[in-house]
Amino acid sequence: MLTLILRNILRRPLRNGLTLAGISVAIAVLICVESFGDGYRSSLRREVEQAGVQIMLVPLGCPYDAAARVLKNNALEASLPFAALETVRNDPGVAVAAPMLIAALPRQNERRVDIWVGLDESSLQLRPWWNVTSGSAWFSSGDEAILGADAAAVEMRAPNDKLSSPETKRQFRVAGILERSGTSDDSAFFVPLATAQEMFAQTGRLTAIAIRLKDPTRTTETIARLQEIRGAQAVTMTEMMGTFTRLVGMVRTWVLSIVAIVVTVSALTVFNTLLAGVVERANEFGLMRAMGASRTQVFGLLVGEALLLTIAGLGVGILLAIVLGPRIEALARIWIPFAPAGNLLAISASAVFRGCPAAVCAGVLAAVYPAWLAARMRPAMGAKSQ
Amino acid sequence: MTVDENPLRIYRATDGRRAMGAILVKRVKGEHGAVELVTGIDPQGRVCGVLLQSQREPESVAQTIKNWLPHFVGRTARSPLSPGDDLPEVASEALATANAIAEGVRSQLTVFSFAEDPAEAEKPVEIAR
């Protein structure tokens, strides 16, 4: 039976090849969409967990936007008064409060933006990835800078080299170069908090305060107290992650509905191919029936052809998803605000298993009517052709 | 360009089928940050002009270097390309960056001459000291 199915498929290479291509593309898109959801969730969770921050105190405005910007080392338009830090540190529920000032310096000629981050030593407790590949891990004076791995590579800097910020007319000595962390810190320039405040004329102001709690089960009470700070609002990382995951989930649902159309079109292609085959091979099926083949055997032959095409399409589709996945991810990143640094489109076995049954079912369902027609061919059709 | 590479890029300029020269782009290590050089070279291997596409030198150094760059015009891979020799001296605060730029232009010219005529490029060059 399998030999017969294979021979039938190979007899019409162009038509079946095009059908196979349609199925493969539909399956590749389905797997990519499934993988994207998984990849986004796990990358975002890893980035938030890596930060070791439970609450972010940000200036009034959209709290999720502000927290996400701070997490990605993006500057905010508003700022917090320095007095807020004292209040946060005095809160009984707060274990670590790390102030930061983030400023973006656009470099017009190079079409990029330098991100300068001012920190104090408490930030080290919330940045477990803060390890240097060379030089020292903290500043010994206000005129020193520590560079993220990418920033150092772009500027060709090593410890003890000079580094200038022409826009703010400041010069620094490079104290150390950070190990690559896979976070937005990789492309940042770090300076002491007071230096950053002076550089960007923000004396006494902060962009945000990252907070770790003594007891995370007391988050609600602590947030209630922190919300009383004038001009500030507290947002938990869990809330922020949930909001972003929900937003991406909505987009994913919308994309999945498009994918459903693609899969339907590819199932219709299989239907069309098989139906055309049944019309062309009417005499052949009649002859098979005349020679003693049962209706079930003829039905099985057609369903088998559809199944084989779908399984071959599945294999090619998985390969396409693996090959094209990284390119699709690079394109998608341009449109995703605050995309986490990790792999957004990791093709996982679970995504493949979730996508496959739907594709196989669509392929087999598309074969039912043509197979039923073929099985109903009368043996006389075969005799007529002879 | 990714951060892990510092390629030397060559863009050939043509007028129809006639070669007009090439534009080479390379990053070098300046005193206060990376400097991205853009050098125009004519078909005879002579520098037509050098521009800095990106740099983060302090204002005074940046101005000194800007005034000094036109002296590269007409230089070839066989020129010494050394401040105080065939190129004018620069202020000491700009010397490290000037040397890095001269080295960068030299490597661009060498690559260009090798790409144009490998046999000629392999001949030893005598540099007057």
Side-chain angles (χ1 to χ4, degrees):
Chain A
M1 182 77 126
L2 187 64
T3 317
L4 192 59
I5 290 170
L6 268 174
R7 201 176 295 158
N8 283 335
I9 289 176
L10 294 174
R11 247 169 37 188
R12 294 167 187 83
L14 183 65
R15 186 193 295 164
N16 288 324
L18 287 173
T19 308
L20 186 70
I23 298 169
S24 308
V25 170
I27 288 169
V29 174
L30 186 63
I31 291 171
C32 283
V33 172
E34 282 290 334
S35 304
F36 173 76
D38 294 350
Y40 185 90
R41 267 193 299 274
S42 62
S43 295
L44 189 63
R45 190 179 304 120
R46 192 171 52 245
E47 196 159 296
V48 170
E49 281 169 4
Q50 243 185 356
V53 176
Q54 281 133 1
I55 296 174
M56 193 77 81
L57 195 76
V58 291
L60 283 175
C62 172
Y64 302 117
D65 176 61
R69 278 172 187 266
V70 171
L71 204 63
K72 304 295 292 177
N73 284 339
N74 286 1
L76 299 184
E77 282 155 21
S79 61
L80 290 171
F82 199 76
L85 179 63
E86 204 55 37
T87 315
V88 174
R89 282 187 171 155
N90 289 334
D91 190 283
V94 172
V96 182
M100 57 182 101
L101 184 91
I102 304 169
L105 272 181
R107 309 203 70 204
Q108 303 291 356
N109 290 345
E110 295 151 54
R111 293 184 182 173
R112 68 183 170 96
V113 176
D114 282 351
I115 300 295
W116 291 82
V117 182
L119 302 171
D120 80 356
E121 256 177 294
S122 57
S123 296
L124 294 187
Q125 296 175 62
L126 301 179
R127 283 180 148 82
W129 61 86
W130 188 278
N131 296 313
V132 286
T133 51
S134 52
S136 53
W138 197 249
F139 316 99
S140 56
S141 78
D143 286 335
E144 287 187 338
I146 292 174
L147 272 56
D150 291 347
V154 165
E155 294 301 340
M156 305 171 99
R157 296 297 89 183
N160 293 321
D161 280 351
K162 290 178 187 168
L163 175 77
S164 157
S165 164
E167 296 82 3
T168 58
K169 297 184 171 38
R170 289 291 301 242
Q171 287 179 37
F172 298 93
R173 187 185 75 86
V174 176
I177 309 293
L178 294 178
E179 277 177 10
R180 194 176 300 278
S181 63
T183 68
S184 48
D185 280 4
D186 288 346
S187 51
F189 299 86
F190 296 94
V191 290
L193 181 63
T195 304
Q197 288 172 326
E198 193 189 318
M199 265 175 92
F200 300 103
Q202 292 282 318
T203 308
R205 307 297 298 181
L206 299 171
T207 304
I209 302 171
I211 298 165
R212 183 187 289 163
L213 300 175
K214 285 177 186 160
D215 180 2
T217 59
R218 305 245 167 156
T219 306
T220 317
E221 297 98 297
T222 312
I223 284 206
R225 289 192 297 272
L226 296 177
Q227 297 285 25
E228 286 171 17
I229 299 173
R230 185 180 283 184
Q233 58 191 338
V235 56
T236 67
M237 291 295 100
T238 320
E239 281 173 346
M240 193 199 79
M241 206 174 85
T243 305
F244 277 83
T245 309
R246 271 196 300 279
L247 279 173
V248 169
M250 281 160 64
V251 174
R252 189 167 153 267
T253 308
W254 182 75
V255 176
L256 270 176
S257 60
I258 296 173
V259 172
I261 296 170
V262 175
V263 171
T264 308
V265 169
S266 88
L268 286 173
T269 316
V270 174
F271 174 81
N272 186 44
T273 305
L274 292 177
L275 198 60
V278 169
V279 173
E280 277 177 17
R281 293 155 63 194
N283 297 335
E284 182 187 321
F285 291 128
L287 194 61
M288 282 171 72
R289 293 277 291 117
M291 289 174 73
S294 67
R295 284 178 193 272
T296 316
Q297 280 172 323
V298 175
F299 186 89
L301 182 72
L302 262 286
V303 172
E305 282 180 25
L307 198 61
L308 199 67
L309 271 175
T310 311
I311 289 170
L314 207 62
V316 179
I318 292 169
L319 277 178
L320 266 179
I322 291 169
V323 173
L324 297 179
R327 286 166 182 81
I328 294 171
E329 182 187 331
L331 280 176
R333 269 187 186 280
I334 300 168
W335 307 103
I336 302 169
F338 311 119
N343 199 349
L344 295 185
L345 214 159
I347 309 292
S348 62
S350 72
V352 172
F353 283 123
R354 281 201 305 273
C356 291
V360 173
C361 285
V364 172
L365 277 176
V368 170
Y369 180 68
W372 179 72
L373 274 185
R376 285 187 60 206
M377 292 288 174
R378 283 170 299 163
M381 288 292 288
K384 188 176 150 192
S385 71
Q386 298 307 304
Chain B
M1 182 166 63
T2 68
V3 295
D4 294 317
E5 54 180 344
N6 179 21
L8 191 144
R9 294 180 187 279
I10 302 180
Y11 302 91
R12 290 198 178 277
T14 55
D15 179 11
R17 286 189 170 183
R18 194 163 63 92
M20 300 292 287
I23 296 163
L24 284 81
V25 183
K26 181 182 171 61
R27 278 189 311 150
V28 296
K29 185 175 175 174
E31 176 79 349
H32 294 88
V35 175
E36 195 163 273
L37 298 175
V38 182
T39 305
I41 300 175
D42 71 15
Q44 286 71 46
R46 288 186 301 252
V47 174
C48 303
V50 179
L51 290 174
L52 301 191
Q53 190 154 262
S54 97
Q55 52 89 17
R56 52 192 323 139
E57 299 304 309
E59 185 62 41
S60 59
V61 175
Q63 196 54 50
T64 305
I65 296 291
K66 194 179 169 189
N67 296 336
W68 176 74
L69 288 178
H71 297 284
F72 278 97
V73 175
R75 301 288 183 272
T76 67
R78 295 179 171 274
S79 304
L81 288 175
S82 171
D85 189 344
D86 61 333
L87 297 169
E89 299 258 17
V90 291
S92 58
E93 61 169 355
L95 188 59
T97 303
N99 280 330
I101 291 171
E103 272 305 309
V105 173
R106 188 204 310 284
S107 80
Q108 288 176 320
L109 286 165
T110 305
V111 167
F112 180 79
S113 65
F114 189 82
E116 291 296 294
D117 187 356
E120 187 65 22
E122 281 174 6
K123 286 181 185 169
V125 180
E126 278 188 26
I127 298 172
R129 296 281 177 199

